[in-house]
Coordinates of all heavy atoms in Angstrom, one line a residue:
M1417 N 0.8 -1.2 0.0 CA 0.0 0.0 0.0 C 0.9 1.2 0.0 O 0.5 2.2 -0.6 CB -0.9 0.0 1.2 CG -1.8 1.2 1.3 SD -2.9 1.4 -0.1 CE -3.9 0.0 0.0
G1418 N 2.0 1.2 0.7 CA 2.9 2.4 0.8 C 3.4 2.7 -0.6 O 3.6 3.9 -0.8
V1419 N 3.7 1.7 -1.4 CA 4.2 2.0 -2.8 C 3.2 2.8 -3.6 O 3.5 3.8 -4.3 CB 4.6 0.7 -3.5 CG1 5.0 1.0 -4.9 CG2 5.7 0.0 -2.7
L1420 N 1.9 2.4 -3.5 CA 0.8 3.1 -4.2 C 0.7 4.6 -3.7 O 0.6 5.5 -4.5 CB -0.5 2.4 -4.0 CG -0.8 1.2 -4.9 CD1 -2.1 0.6 -4.5 CD2 -0.8 1.6 -6.3
K1421 N 0.8 4.7 -2.4 CA 0.6 6.1 -1.8 C 1.8 7.0 -2.2 O 1.7 8.1 -2.5 CB 0.5 6.0 -0.3 CG -0.8 5.4 0.1 CD -1.0 5.4 1.6 CE -2.3 4.7 1.9 NZ -3.3 5.6 2.6
M1422 N 3.0 6.4 -2.2 CA 4.2 7.2 -2.6 C 4.2 7.5 -4.1 O 4.7 8.6 -4.5 CB 5.5 6.5 -2.2 CG 5.7 6.4 -0.7 SD 5.8 8.0 0.1 CE 7.3 8.6 -0.6
S1423 N 3.6 6.6 -4.9 CA 3.6 6.9 -6.4 C 2.6 8.0 -6.7 O 2.9 8.7 -7.7 CB 3.3 5.6 -7.1 OG 2.0 5.2 -6.9
Y1424 N 1.5 8.1 -6.0 CA 0.6 9.2 -6.3 C 1.0 10.5 -5.5 O 0.8 11.5 -6.1 CB -0.8 8.8 -5.9 CG -1.5 7.8 -6.8 CD1 -1.7 6.5 -6.5 CD2 -1.9 8.3 -8.1 CE1 -2.3 5.6 -7.4 CE2 -2.5 7.5 -9.0 CZ -2.7 6.1 -8.7 OH -3.3 5.3 -9.5
A1425 N 1.4 10.3 -4.3 CA 1.9 11.5 -3.5 C 0.8 12.6 -3.4 O 1.1 13.7 -3.7 CB 3.2 12.0 -4.0
R1426 N -0.4 12.2 -3.1 CA -1.5 13.2 -3.0 C -1.7 13.5 -1.5 O -1.7 12.6 -0.7 CB -2.8 12.8 -3.6 CG -2.7 12.5 -5.1 CD -2.6 13.8 -5.8 NE -2.7 13.5 -7.2 CZ -1.8 13.9 -8.1 NH1 -0.7 14.5 -7.7 NH2 -1.9 13.6 -9.4
P1427 N -1.9 14.8 -1.1 CA -2.0 15.1 0.3 C -3.4 14.7 0.9 O -4.3 14.4 0.2 CB -2.0 16.7 0.2 CG -2.5 17.0 -1.1 CD -2.0 15.9 -2.0
R1428 N -3.4 14.7 2.2 CA -4.6 14.4 2.9 C -5.4 15.8 3.2 O -4.7 16.8 3.1 CB -4.3 13.7 4.2 CG -3.8 12.3 4.0 CD -3.5 11.7 5.3 NE -3.0 10.3 5.2 CZ -3.7 9.2 5.2 NH1 -5.0 9.3 5.4 NH2 -3.2 8.1 5.0
P1429 N -6.7 15.7 3.4 CA -7.4 17.0 3.7 C -6.9 17.9 4.8 O -6.8 19.1 4.6 CB -8.8 16.5 4.0 CG -8.9 15.1 3.4 CD -7.5 14.6 3.5
Y1430 N -6.4 17.3 5.8 CA -5.9 18.1 6.9 C -4.5 18.7 6.7 O -4.1 19.6 7.4 CB -5.9 17.3 8.3 CG -5.1 16.1 8.3 CD1 -3.8 16.1 8.6 CD2 -5.7 14.9 8.0 CE1 -3.0 15.0 8.6 CE2 -5.0 13.7 8.1 CZ -3.6 13.7 8.4 OH -2.9 12.6 8.4
W1431 N -3.9 18.2 5.6 CA -2.6 18.9 5.2 C -2.9 20.1 4.4 O -2.2 21.1 4.5 CB -1.8 17.9 4.3 CG -1.2 16.8 5.0 CD1 -1.3 16.4 6.3 CD2 -0.4 15.7 4.4 NE1 -0.6 15.3 6.6 CE2 -0.1 14.8 5.4 CE3 0.0 15.5 3.1 CZ2 0.6 13.7 5.2 CZ3 0.7 14.3 2.9 CH2 1.0 13.4 3.9
D1432 N -4.0 20.1 3.6 CA -4.3 21.3 2.8 C -5.1 22.4 3.5 O -4.9 23.6 3.2 CB -5.2 20.8 1.6 CG -4.4 20.1 0.6 OD1 -3.2 20.2 0.5 OD2 -5.1 19.4 -0.2
D1433 N -5.9 22.0 4.5 CA -6.7 23.0 5.2 C -6.6 22.8 6.7 O -7.0 21.7 7.2 CB -8.2 22.8 4.7 CG -9.1 23.9 5.2 OD1 -8.6 24.8 5.9 OD2 -10.3 23.8 4.9
E1434 N -6.1 23.8 7.4 CA -5.9 23.6 8.8 C -7.3 23.6 9.6 O -7.3 23.3 10.7 CB -5.0 24.7 9.3 CG -5.6 26.1 9.1 CD -4.5 27.2 9.3 OE1 -3.4 27.0 9.0 OE2 -4.9 28.2 9.9
K1435 N -8.4 24.0 8.9 CA -9.7 23.9 9.6 C -10.2 22.5 9.7 O -11.0 22.2 10.5 CB -10.7 24.7 8.7 CG -10.4 26.2 8.7 CD -11.5 26.8 7.8 CE -11.0 28.1 7.3 NZ -11.8 28.7 6.2
V1436 N -9.7 21.6 8.9 CA -10.1 20.2 9.0 C -9.4 19.5 10.2 O -8.1 19.5 10.3 CB -9.7 19.4 7.7 CG1 -10.0 17.9 7.9 CG2 -10.4 20.0 6.5
D1437 N -10.2 19.1 11.1 CA -9.7 18.5 12.4 C -9.7 17.0 12.2 O -10.8 16.4 12.5 CB -10.5 19.0 13.6 CG -9.9 18.5 14.9 OD1 -8.7 18.2 14.9 OD2 -10.7 18.3 15.8
A1438 N -8.7 16.4 11.8 CA -8.6 14.9 11.6 C -8.5 14.2 13.0 O -7.8 14.7 13.9 CB -7.5 14.5 10.7
V1439 N -9.2 13.1 13.1 CA -9.1 12.4 14.4 C -7.8 11.8 14.6 O -7.2 12.0 15.7 CB -10.2 11.2 14.3 CG1 -10.1 10.4 15.6 CG2 -11.6 11.8 14.2
K1440 N -7.1 11.2 13.7 CA -5.8 10.7 13.8 C -4.9 11.2 12.6 O -5.3 11.0 11.5 CB -5.8 9.2 13.9 CG -4.4 8.6 14.1 CD -4.5 7.1 14.1 CE -3.0 6.6 14.3 NZ -3.0 5.1 14.1
C1441 N -3.8 11.7 12.9 CA -3.0 12.3 11.9 C -2.0 11.3 11.4 O -1.1 10.8 12.2 CB -2.3 13.6 12.4 SG -3.4 14.9 12.8
S1442 N -2.0 10.9 10.1 CA -1.1 10.0 9.5 C 0.0 10.8 8.8 O -0.2 11.9 8.3 CB -1.8 9.1 8.6 OG -0.8 8.2 8.0
K1443 N 1.2 10.2 8.8 CA 2.3 10.9 8.1 C 2.4 10.5 6.6 O 3.2 11.0 5.9 CB 3.6 10.6 8.8 CG 3.5 10.9 10.3 CD 4.3 12.1 10.6 CE 4.4 12.4 12.1 NZ 3.3 12.9 12.7
E1444 N 1.7 9.5 6.2 CA 1.7 9.0 4.8 C 0.8 9.8 3.9 O -0.1 10.5 4.4 CB 1.2 7.5 4.7 CG 2.1 6.5 5.4 CD 1.6 5.1 5.2 OE1 0.3 5.0 5.0 OE2 2.4 4.2 5.2
F1445 N 1.0 9.7 2.6 CA 0.1 10.3 1.7 C -1.2 9.6 1.8 O -1.3 8.5 2.2 CB 0.7 10.3 0.3 CG 1.9 11.2 0.1 CD1 3.2 10.7 0.0 CD2 1.7 12.6 0.1 CE1 4.2 11.5 -0.1 CE2 2.8 13.4 0.0 CZ 4.1 12.9 -0.2
G1446 N -2.3 10.2 1.2 CA -3.6 9.6 1.4 C -4.2 9.0 0.2 O -5.4 8.6 0.2
N1447 N -3.5 8.8 -0.9 CA -4.1 8.3 -2.1 C -3.5 6.9 -2.5 O -2.3 6.9 -2.7 CB -4.0 9.3 -3.2 CG -4.8 9.0 -4.4 OD1 -5.9 8.6 -4.2 ND2 -4.4 9.3 -5.6
P1448 N -4.2 5.9 -2.6 CA -5.7 5.7 -2.4 C -6.0 5.3 -0.9 O -5.1 5.1 -0.2 CB -6.0 4.5 -3.3 CG -4.7 3.7 -3.3 CD -3.6 4.7 -3.2
S1449 N -7.2 5.3 -0.6 CA -7.6 4.9 0.8 C -7.5 3.4 1.0 O -8.1 2.6 0.3 CB -9.1 5.3 1.0 OG -9.5 4.8 2.2
G1450 N -6.6 3.1 1.9 CA -6.3 1.7 2.2 C -7.5 1.0 2.8 O -7.8 -0.2 2.5
H1451 N -8.2 1.7 3.7 CA -9.4 1.2 4.3 C -10.5 0.8 3.3 O -11.1 -0.2 3.3 CB -10.0 2.1 5.3 CG -9.2 2.2 6.6 ND1 -8.1 3.0 6.7 CD2 -9.4 1.6 7.8 CE1 -7.6 2.9 7.9 NE2 -8.3 2.1 8.6
A1452 N -10.7 1.7 2.3 CA -11.7 1.5 1.3 C -11.3 0.3 0.4 O -12.1 -0.5 0.0 CB -11.9 2.8 0.4
L1453 N -10.0 0.2 0.1 CA -9.5 -0.9 -0.8 C -9.7 -2.2 -0.1 O -10.3 -3.1 -0.7 CB -8.0 -0.6 -1.1 CG -7.4 -1.6 -2.1 CD1 -6.2 -0.8 -2.7 CD2 -6.9 -2.8 -1.5
I1454 N -9.3 -2.3 1.2 CA -9.4 -3.6 1.9 C -10.9 -4.0 2.1 O -11.3 -5.1 1.9 CB -8.7 -3.5 3.2 CG1 -7.2 -3.3 3.0 CG2 -8.9 -4.7 4.1 CD1 -6.5 -4.4 2.2
T1455 N -11.7 -3.0 2.5 CA -13.1 -3.4 2.8 C -13.8 -3.8 1.5 O -14.6 -4.8 1.5 CB -13.9 -2.3 3.5 OG1 -13.8 -1.1 2.7 CG2 -13.4 -2.0 4.9
F1456 N -13.6 -3.1 0.4 CA -14.2 -3.5 -0.8 C -13.8 -4.9 -1.3 O -14.6 -5.7 -1.7 CB -13.9 -2.5 -1.9 CG -14.8 -2.6 -3.1 CD1 -15.9 -1.8 -3.3 CD2 -14.5 -3.6 -4.1 CE1 -16.7 -2.0 -4.4 CE2 -15.3 -3.7 -5.2 CZ -16.4 -2.9 -5.4
S1457 N -12.5 -5.2 -1.2 CA -12.0 -6.5 -1.7 C -12.5 -7.6 -0.8 O -12.9 -8.7 -1.2 CB -10.5 -6.5 -1.9 OG -9.8 -6.1 -0.7
V1458 N -12.4 -7.4 0.5 CA -12.7 -8.5 1.5 C -14.2 -8.7 1.5 O -14.7 -9.9 1.4 CB -12.2 -8.2 2.9 CG1 -12.8 -9.2 3.9 CG2 -10.7 -8.2 2.9
Y1459 N -15.0 -7.7 1.7 CA -16.5 -7.8 1.7 C -17.0 -8.2 0.4 O -18.0 -8.9 0.3 CB -17.2 -6.6 2.3 CG -17.0 -6.3 3.7 CD1 -16.9 -5.1 4.3 CD2 -16.8 -7.4 4.6 CE1 -16.7 -4.8 5.6 CE2 -16.6 -7.2 6.0 CZ -16.5 -5.9 6.5 OH -16.3 -5.7 7.8
G1460 N -16.4 -7.8 -0.7 CA -16.8 -8.2 -2.0 C -16.6 -9.7 -2.2 O -17.4 -10.4 -2.8
Y1461 N -15.5 -10.2 -1.7 CA -15.2 -11.6 -1.8 C -16.3 -12.4 -1.0 O -16.8 -13.4 -1.5 CB -13.8 -12.0 -1.2 CG -13.5 -13.4 -1.3 CD1 -13.1 -14.0 -2.5 CD2 -13.7 -14.2 -0.2 CE1 -12.8 -15.4 -2.5 CE2 -13.4 -15.6 -0.2 CZ -13.0 -16.1 -1.4 OH -12.7 -17.5 -1.5
F1462 N -16.6 -11.9 0.2 CA -17.7 -12.6 1.0 C -19.0 -12.6 0.2 O -19.8 -13.5 0.2 CB -17.8 -12.0 2.3 CG -16.7 -12.3 3.3 CD1 -16.3 -11.3 4.2 CD2 -16.0 -13.5 3.2 CE1 -15.3 -11.6 5.1 CE2 -15.0 -13.7 4.1 CZ -14.6 -12.8 5.1
M1463 N -19.3 -11.4 -0.4 CA -20.5 -11.3 -1.2 C -20.6 -12.3 -2.3 O -21.6 -12.9 -2.5 CB -20.7 -9.8 -1.7 CG -22.0 -9.6 -2.3 SD -22.2 -7.9 -2.9 CE -21.0 -7.8 -4.2
F1464 N -19.5 -12.4 -3.1 CA -19.5 -13.3 -4.2 C -19.6 -14.7 -3.7 O -20.2 -15.6 -4.4 CB -18.3 -13.1 -5.1 CG -18.4 -12.0 -6.0 CD1 -17.5 -11.0 -6.1 CD2 -19.5 -11.8 -6.9 CE1 -17.6 -9.9 -6.9 CE2 -19.6 -10.8 -7.8 CZ -18.7 -9.8 -7.8
Y1465 N -19.0 -15.0 -2.6 CA -19.0 -16.4 -2.0 C -20.5 -16.7 -1.6 O -20.9 -17.8 -1.9 CB -18.1 -16.5 -0.8 CG -18.2 -17.8 -0.2 CD1 -17.5 -18.9 -0.7 CD2 -18.9 -18.0 1.0 CE1 -17.5 -20.2 -0.2 CE2 -18.9 -19.3 1.6 CZ -18.3 -20.4 1.0 OH -18.3 -21.6 1.6
I1466 N -21.2 -15.8 -1.0 CA -22.6 -16.0 -0.7 C -23.4 -16.2 -1.9 O -24.3 -17.0 -1.9 CB -23.1 -14.8 0.2 CG1 -22.5 -14.9 1.6 CG2 -24.6 -14.8 0.3 CD1 -22.7 -13.8 2.5
L1467 N -23.2 -15.4 -2.9 CA -24.0 -15.5 -4.2 C -23.7 -16.9 -4.8 O -24.6 -17.5 -5.4 CB -23.7 -14.4 -5.1 CG -24.2 -13.0 -4.8 CD1 -23.7 -12.0 -5.7 CD2 -25.7 -13.1 -4.8
K1468 N -22.5 -17.4 -4.7 CA -22.1 -18.6 -5.4 C -22.7 -19.8 -4.6 O -23.1 -20.8 -5.3 CB -20.6 -18.7 -5.4 CG -20.1 -19.9 -6.1 CD -18.6 -19.9 -6.1 CE -18.0 -21.2 -6.4 NZ -16.5 -21.2 -6.3
T1469 N -22.8 -19.8 -3.3 CA -23.4 -20.9 -2.5 C -24.8 -20.6 -2.2 O -25.3 -19.5 -2.3 CB -22.6 -21.0 -1.2 OG1 -22.7 -19.8 -0.5 CG2 -21.1 -21.3 -1.4
K1470 N -25.5 -21.6 -1.9 CA -26.9 -21.5 -1.5 C -27.1 -21.3 0.0 O -27.3 -22.2 0.7 CB -27.7 -22.8 -2.0 CG -27.6 -23.1 -3.4 CD -28.3 -22.1 -4.3 CE -28.2 -22.4 -5.7 NZ -28.5 -21.4 -6.6
V1471 N -26.9 -20.1 0.4 CA -27.1 -19.7 1.8 C -28.4 -19.0 2.0 O -28.8 -18.2 1.1 CB -25.9 -18.8 2.2 CG1 -26.0 -18.4 3.6 CG2 -24.6 -19.5 1.9
E1472 N -29.1 -19.2 3.1 CA -30.3 -18.5 3.3 C -30.0 -17.0 3.6 O -29.0 -16.6 4.1 CB -31.0 -19.2 4.5 CG -31.5 -20.5 4.2 CD -32.3 -21.1 5.4 OE1 -32.9 -20.3 6.2 OE2 -32.4 -22.3 5.5
N1473 N -31.0 -16.2 3.4 CA -31.0 -14.8 3.6 C -29.9 -14.1 2.9 O -29.2 -13.2 3.4 CB -30.9 -14.5 5.1 CG -32.1 -15.0 5.9 OD1 -33.2 -15.1 5.4 ND2 -31.8 -15.5 7.1
N1474 N -29.7 -14.5 1.6 CA -28.6 -13.9 0.8 C -28.7 -12.4 0.7 O -27.8 -11.6 0.9 CB -28.6 -14.4 -0.6 CG -28.0 -15.8 -0.7 OD1 -27.4 -16.3 0.2 ND2 -28.1 -16.4 -1.9
L1475 N -29.9 -11.9 0.5 CA -30.2 -10.4 0.3 C -29.8 -9.6 1.5 O -29.1 -8.6 1.4 CB -31.6 -10.2 -0.1 CG -31.9 -8.7 -0.4 CD1 -31.1 -8.2 -1.6 CD2 -33.4 -8.6 -0.7
I1476 N -30.1 -10.1 2.7 CA -29.8 -9.4 3.9 C -28.3 -9.4 4.1 O -27.7 -8.3 4.4 CB -30.5 -10.1 5.1 CG1 -32.0 -9.9 5.0 CG2 -30.0 -9.5 6.4 CD1 -32.8 -10.7 6.0
K1477 N -27.6 -10.5 3.9 CA -26.1 -10.5 4.1 C -25.4 -9.6 3.0 O -24.5 -8.9 3.4 CB -25.6 -11.9 4.0 CG -26.1 -12.8 5.1 CD -25.7 -14.2 5.0 CE -26.3 -15.0 6.2 NZ -26.1 -16.4 6.0
I1478 N -25.9 -9.6 1.8 CA -25.3 -8.7 0.8 C -25.5 -7.3 1.1 O -24.6 -6.4 1.0 CB -25.9 -9.1 -0.6 CG1 -25.3 -10.4 -1.0 CG2 -25.6 -8.0 -1.6 CD1 -26.0 -11.0 -2.3
L1479 N -26.7 -6.9 1.6 CA -27.0 -5.5 2.0 C -26.1 -5.1 3.2 O -25.6 -4.0 3.3 CB -28.5 -5.4 2.4 CG -29.4 -5.3 1.2 CD1 -30.9 -5.3 1.8 CD2 -29.2 -4.2 0.3
V1480 N -25.8 -6.0 4.1 CA -24.9 -5.7 5.2 C -23.5 -5.5 4.7 O -22.9 -4.5 5.1 CB -24.9 -6.9 6.2 CG1 -23.8 -6.7 7.2 CG2 -26.2 -7.0 7.0
F1481 N -23.0 -6.3 3.8 CA -21.7 -6.1 3.2 C -21.6 -4.8 2.4 O -20.6 -4.0 2.6 CB -21.3 -7.3 2.3 CG -21.1 -8.6 3.1 CD1 -21.4 -9.8 2.5 CD2 -20.5 -8.6 4.4 CE1 -21.2 -11.0 3.2 CE2 -20.3 -9.7 5.1 CZ -20.6 -10.9 4.5
V1482 N -22.6 -4.5 1.6 CA -22.6 -3.3 0.8 C -22.6 -2.1 1.7 O -21.9 -1.1 1.5 CB -23.7 -3.3 -0.2 CG1 -23.9 -1.9 -0.9 CG2 -23.5 -4.3 -1.3
S1483 N -23.5 -2.2 2.8 CA -23.6 -1.1 3.7 C -22.3 -0.8 4.4 O -21.8 0.3 4.7 CB -24.7 -1.3 4.8 OG -25.9 -1.5 4.1
A1484 N -21.6 -1.9 4.8 CA -20.3 -1.8 5.5 C -19.3 -1.1 4.6 O -18.5 -0.2 5.1 CB -19.8 -3.1 5.9
V1485 N -19.2 -1.4 3.3 CA -18.3 -0.8 2.4 C -18.6 0.7 2.3 O -17.7 1.5 2.3 CB -18.3 -1.5 1.0 CG1 -17.5 -0.7 0.0 CG2 -17.7 -2.9 1.2
I1486 N -19.8 1.0 2.1 CA -20.2 2.4 2.0 C -20.0 3.2 3.2 O -19.5 4.3 3.2 CB -21.7 2.5 1.6 CG1 -21.9 2.0 0.1 CG2 -22.2 4.0 1.7 CD1 -23.3 1.8 -0.3
L1487 N -20.3 2.6 4.4 CA -20.0 3.3 5.7 C -18.5 3.6 5.9 O -18.2 4.6 6.4 CB -20.7 2.5 6.8 CG -22.2 2.6 6.9 CD1 -22.7 1.7 8.0 CD2 -22.6 4.1 7.2
V1488 N -17.7 2.6 5.6 CA -16.3 2.8 5.8 C -15.8 3.9 4.9 O -15.0 4.8 5.3 CB -15.5 1.5 5.5 CG1 -14.0 1.8 5.4 CG2 -15.7 0.5 6.6
G1489 N -16.2 4.0 3.6 CA -15.9 5.1 2.7 C -16.3 6.4 3.2 O -15.6 7.4 3.2
Y1490 N -17.6 6.5 3.7 CA -18.1 7.7 4.3 C -17.3 8.1 5.5 O -17.0 9.3 5.7 CB -19.6 7.5 4.6 CG -20.2 8.7 5.3 CD1 -20.5 9.9 4.6 CD2 -20.4 8.7 6.7 CE1 -21.0 11.0 5.2 CE2 -20.9 9.8 7.3 CZ -21.2 11.0 6.6 OH -21.7 12.1 7.2
D1491 N -17.0 7.2 6.3 CA -16.3 7.4 7.6 C -14.9 8.1 7.3 O -14.5 9.0 8.0 CB -16.1 6.1 8.3 CG -14.9 6.0 9.2 OD1 -13.8 5.8 8.6 OD2 -15.1 6.0 10.4
R1492 N -14.2 7.6 6.2 CA -12.9 8.2 5.9 C -13.0 9.6 5.5 O -12.1 10.4 5.9 CB -12.2 7.4 4.8 CG -12.1 5.9 5.0 CD -11.6 5.5 6.4 NE -10.2 5.9 6.5 CZ -9.6 5.9 7.7 NH1 -10.3 5.6 8.8 NH2 -8.4 6.3 7.8
V1493 N -14.0 10.0 4.8 CA -14.2 11.4 4.4 C -14.7 12.2 5.6 O -14.2 13.3 5.8 CB -15.2 11.5 3.2 CG1 -15.5 12.9 2.9 CG2 -14.7 10.7 2.0
Y1494 N -15.6 11.7 6.4 CA -16.2 12.4 7.5 C -15.1 12.7 8.6 O -15.1 13.8 9.1 CB -17.3 11.5 8.2 CG -17.9 12.2 9.4 CD1 -18.8 13.2 9.3 CD2 -17.5 11.8 10.7 CE1 -19.3 13.8 10.4 CE2 -18.1 12.3 11.8 CZ -19.0 13.4 11.6 OH -19.5 14.0 12.7
L1495 N -14.2 11.7 8.8 CA -13.1 12.0 9.8 C -12.0 12.9 9.2 O -11.1 13.3 10.0 CB -12.5 10.6 10.2 CG -13.4 9.7 10.9 CD1 -12.7 8.4 11.2 CD2 -13.8 10.3 12.2
G1496 N -12.1 13.3 8.0 CA -11.1 14.2 7.4 C -9.8 13.6 7.1 O -8.8 14.4 7.0
V1497 N -9.7 12.3 6.9 CA -8.4 11.7 6.6 C -8.3 11.4 5.1 O -7.2 11.0 4.6 CB -8.2 10.4 7.4 CG1 -8.0 10.8 8.9 CG2 -9.3 9.4 7.2
H1498 N -9.4 11.5 4.3 CA -9.3 11.3 2.9 C -10.3 12.2 2.2 O -11.3 12.6 2.7 CB -9.7 9.8 2.5 CG -8.7 8.8 2.9 ND1 -7.4 8.8 2.2 CD2 -8.7 7.9 3.8 CE1 -6.7 7.8 2.8 NE2 -7.4 7.2 3.7
Y1499 N -10.0 12.5 0.9 CA -10.9 13.2 0.0 C -11.8 12.1 -0.6 O -11.4 10.9 -0.6 CB -10.2 13.9 -1.1 CG -9.5 15.2 -0.6 CD1 -8.1 15.2 -0.7 CD2 -10.1 16.3 -0.2 CE1 -7.4 16.3 -0.3 CE2 -9.5 17.4 0.2 CZ -8.1 17.4 0.2 OH -7.4 18.6 0.6
I1500 N -13.0 12.5 -1.1 CA -13.9 11.5 -1.7 C -13.2 10.8 -2.8 O -13.4 9.6 -3.0 CB -15.2 12.1 -2.1 CG1 -16.2 11.1 -2.5 CG2 -15.0 13.2 -3.2 CD1 -16.7 10.2 -1.4
W1501 N -12.4 11.4 -3.7 CA -11.8 10.8 -4.8 C -10.8 9.8 -4.4 O -10.5 8.8 -5.1 CB -11.3 11.8 -5.8 CG -10.3 12.8 -5.3 CD1 -10.6 14.0 -4.7 CD2 -8.9 12.7 -5.1 NE1 -9.5 14.6 -4.3 CE2 -8.4 13.8 -4.6 CE3 -8.0 11.7 -5.5 CZ2 -7.1 14.0 -4.3 CZ3 -6.7 11.9 -5.2 CH2 -6.2 13.1 -4.7
Q1502 N -10.2 10.0 -3.2 CA -9.2 9.0 -2.7 C -10.0 7.7 -2.3 O -9.5 6.6 -2.5 CB -8.4 9.5 -1.5 CG -7.5 10.7 -1.9 CD -6.9 11.4 -0.8 OE1 -7.4 11.4 0.3 NE2 -5.7 12.0 -1.0
V1503 N -11.2 7.9 -1.7 CA -12.0 6.7 -1.3 C -12.5 6.0 -2.6 O -12.4 4.7 -2.7 CB -13.2 7.1 -0.5 CG1 -14.1 6.0 -0.2 CG2 -12.7 7.7 0.9
L1504 N -12.9 6.7 -3.6 CA -13.3 6.1 -4.9 C -12.2 5.4 -5.5 O -12.4 4.3 -6.1 CB -13.9 7.2 -5.8 CG -15.2 7.9 -5.3 CD1 -15.6 9.0 -6.3 CD2 -16.3 6.9 -5.2
L1505 N -11.0 5.9 -5.5 CA -9.9 5.2 -6.1 C -9.6 3.9 -5.3 O -9.2 2.9 -5.9 CB -8.6 6.1 -6.1 CG -7.4 5.6 -6.9 CD1 -7.8 5.3 -8.3 CD2 -6.3 6.5 -6.8
G1506 N -9.7 4.0 -4.0 CA -9.5 2.8 -3.1 C -10.5 1.7 -3.5 O -10.2 0.5 -3.6
W1507 N -11.8 2.1 -3.7 CA -12.8 1.1 -4.1 C -12.5 0.6 -5.5 O -12.7 -0.6 -5.7 CB -14.2 1.8 -4.2 CG -14.8 2.0 -2.8 CD1 -14.4 1.4 -1.6 CD2 -15.8 2.9 -2.5 NE1 -15.2 1.9 -0.6 CE2 -16.1 2.8 -1.1 CE3 -16.6 3.8 -3.2 CZ2 -17.1 3.5 -0.5 CZ3 -17.6 4.5 -2.6 CH2 -17.8 4.4 -1.2
T1508 N -12.0 1.4 -6.4 CA -11.6 0.9 -7.7 C -10.5 -0.1 -7.6 O -10.5 -1.2 -8.3 CB -11.2 2.1 -8.6 OG1 -12.2 3.1 -8.7 CG2 -10.8 1.6 -10.0
Y1509 N -9.5 0.2 -6.9 CA -8.4 -0.8 -6.7 C -8.9 -2.0 -5.9 O -8.4 -3.2 -6.2 CB -7.2 -0.2 -5.9 CG -6.3 0.7 -6.7 CD1 -5.8 1.9 -6.2 CD2 -6.0 0.4 -8.0 CE1 -5.0 2.7 -6.9 CE2 -5.2 1.2 -8.8 CZ -4.7 2.4 -8.2 OH -3.9 3.2 -8.9
G1510 N -9.8 -1.9 -5.0 CA -10.4 -3.0 -4.3 C -11.2 -3.9 -5.3 O -11.1 -5.1 -5.2
F1511 N -11.9 -3.3 -6.2 CA -12.6 -4.1 -7.3 C -11.6 -4.8 -8.1 O -11.8 -6.0 -8.5 CB -13.4 -3.1 -8.1 CG -14.2 -3.8 -9.2 CD1 -15.3 -4.6 -9.0 CD2 -13.7 -3.7 -10.5 CE1 -15.9 -5.3 -10.0 CE2 -14.3 -4.4 -11.6 CZ -15.5 -5.1 -11.3
T1512 N -10.5 -4.2 -8.5 CA -9.5 -4.8 -9.3 C -8.9 -6.0 -8.6 O -8.7 -7.1 -9.1 CB -8.4 -3.8 -9.7 OG1 -9.0 -2.7 -10.3 CG2 -7.3 -4.4 -10.6
V1513 N -8.6 -5.8 -7.3 CA -8.0 -7.0 -6.5 C -9.1 -8.1 -6.4 O -8.7 -9.3 -6.5 CB -7.7 -6.5 -5.1 CG1 -7.4 -7.6 -4.1 CG2 -6.5 -5.5 -5.1
L1514 N -10.3 -7.7 -6.2 CA -11.4 -8.7 -6.1 C -11.5 -9.5 -7.4 O -11.7 -10.7 -7.4 CB -12.7 -8.0 -5.8 CG -13.9 -8.9 -5.7 CD1 -13.8 -9.9 -4.5 CD2 -15.2 -8.0 -5.4
V1515 N -11.4 -8.8 -8.6 CA -11.6 -9.5 -9.8 C -10.4 -10.5 -10.0 O -10.6 -11.6 -10.5 CB -11.6 -8.5 -11.0 CG1 -11.4 -9.1 -12.3 CG2 -12.9 -7.7 -11.0
F1516 N -9.2 -10.1 -9.7 CA -8.1 -11.0 -9.9 C -8.0 -12.1 -8.9 O -7.5 -13.2 -9.1 CB -6.8 -10.2 -9.9 CG -6.5 -9.4 -11.2 CD1 -6.5 -8.1 -11.2 CD2 -6.4 -10.1 -12.4 CE1 -6.3 -7.4 -12.4 CE2 -6.2 -9.4 -13.6 CZ -6.2 -8.0 -13.6
A1517 N -8.5 -11.8 -7.7 CA -8.5 -12.8 -6.6 C -9.6 -13.9 -6.7 O -9.4 -15.0 -6.4 CB -8.6 -12.2 -5.2
Y1518 N -10.7 -13.4 -7.3 CA -11.9 -14.3 -7.3 C -11.8 -15.0 -8.7 O -12.1 -16.1 -8.8 CB -13.2 -13.5 -7.2 CG -14.3 -14.4 -6.8 CD1 -14.5 -14.9 -5.6 CD2 -15.3 -14.7 -7.8 CE1 -15.6 -15.7 -5.2 CE2 -16.4 -15.5 -7.5 CZ -16.5 -16.0 -6.2 OH -17.5 -16.8 -5.9

């Protein structure tokens, strides 16, 4: 993940604007969001596994996984540690990882 962040070298919101009060200050660059990447790829894998097998209450479990991915992305922006485009790029990389892993 560090290699991706260093290759893009994009700042975090609290580096650009001192009014943004981030909960935890990281010293790394913020692009892409590692939390968004990991949650998308892991929960996406669980979602595809559930769709592939005949498990009861598929729709409820899929909604929980999709909600978790969206909430983690929202949380990163809300806490001021990522811009929305950094989260979207993390989801894109997570989708790529998911496609190659599954």
